[in-house]
Amino acid sequence: MSADDYINSQVDPCIRKYEDLSHKYHKIHMGLMIACFSCFIGVIILNVVYIIVPVIWLILSSIVCTLGGLFLFFFDSLNGYLEKSLSYKHKAESLGYEKSLYKAKENGFKGFAYRCERYMKIVGWSY
């Protein structure tokens, strides 16, 4: 199997898959963090309004917003969406190095291939 065949059949689909998973988990993480931030900003706004207009439902809504924000924050932390995103991004980058290594070996770029192999051994990537 030539390097181009291996890259087209094995490496490129995996890179795309890992990049897609990385983007997916990053979007989930960012969405949860935006929702969490919005809840906490809502609490601040409700507390400022409560100073002006003391109504019981403002207190209850600020409690609900606080609990909602904490739930979203811990839901994101417990599921580890940020770690999953970074893990898949790292896998995609490592596969990119593997792709460069195969191309460099096929084209005779010894110095570049050596640097790629050295990097892959440092990060613990087996090929």
Side-chain angles (χ1 to χ4, degrees):
M1 175 184 280
S2 72
D4 286 334
D5 293 338
Y6 176 75
I7 288 169
N8 291 333
S9 67
Q10 300 291 325
V11 179
D12 283 340
C14 288
I15 289 174
R16 283 192 294 277
K17 181 179 88 171
Y18 288 139
E19 285 177 346
D20 290 343
L21 286 171
S22 174
H23 292 302
K24 173 186 168 185
Y25 285 116
H26 182 70
K27 286 179 183 177
I28 291 171
H29 171 70
M30 291 309 295
L32 287 172
M33 288 297 104
I34 289 170
C36 184
F37 180 74
S38 299
C39 285
F40 292 137
I41 292 298
V43 168
I44 292 171
I45 291 170
L46 287 171
N47 286 331
V48 169
V49 172
Y50 177 70
I51 292 171
I52 299 169
V53 183
V55 180
I56 193 74
W57 67 268
L58 291 173
I59 297 171
L60 294 176
S61 59
S62 68
I63 291 171
V64 168
C65 281
T66 302
L67 293 176
L70 289 173
F71 170 76
L72 289 170
F73 179 73
F74 287 117
F75 182 76
D76 180 60
S77 297
L78 290 175
N79 287 316
Y81 290 124
L82 179 62
E83 289 84 14
K84 288 179 185 177
S85 171
L86 293 175
S87 169
Y88 286 125
K89 184 177 182 179
H90 175 71
K91 286 180 181 180
E93 288 175 353
S94 295
L95 282 173
Y97 276 104
E98 182 179 2
K99 177 181 173 180
S100 298
L101 175 66
Y102 277 104
K103 283 187 175 183
K105 281 187 174 182
E106 186 176 70
N107 294 331
F109 294 110
K110 302 281 186 216
F112 182 70
Y114 172 74
R115 286 195 299 275
C116 287
E117 282 180 342
R118 188 166 167 238
Y119 171 78
M120 292 166 64
K121 286 178 184 173
I122 289 171
V123 297
W125 187 262
S126 62
Y127 55 95

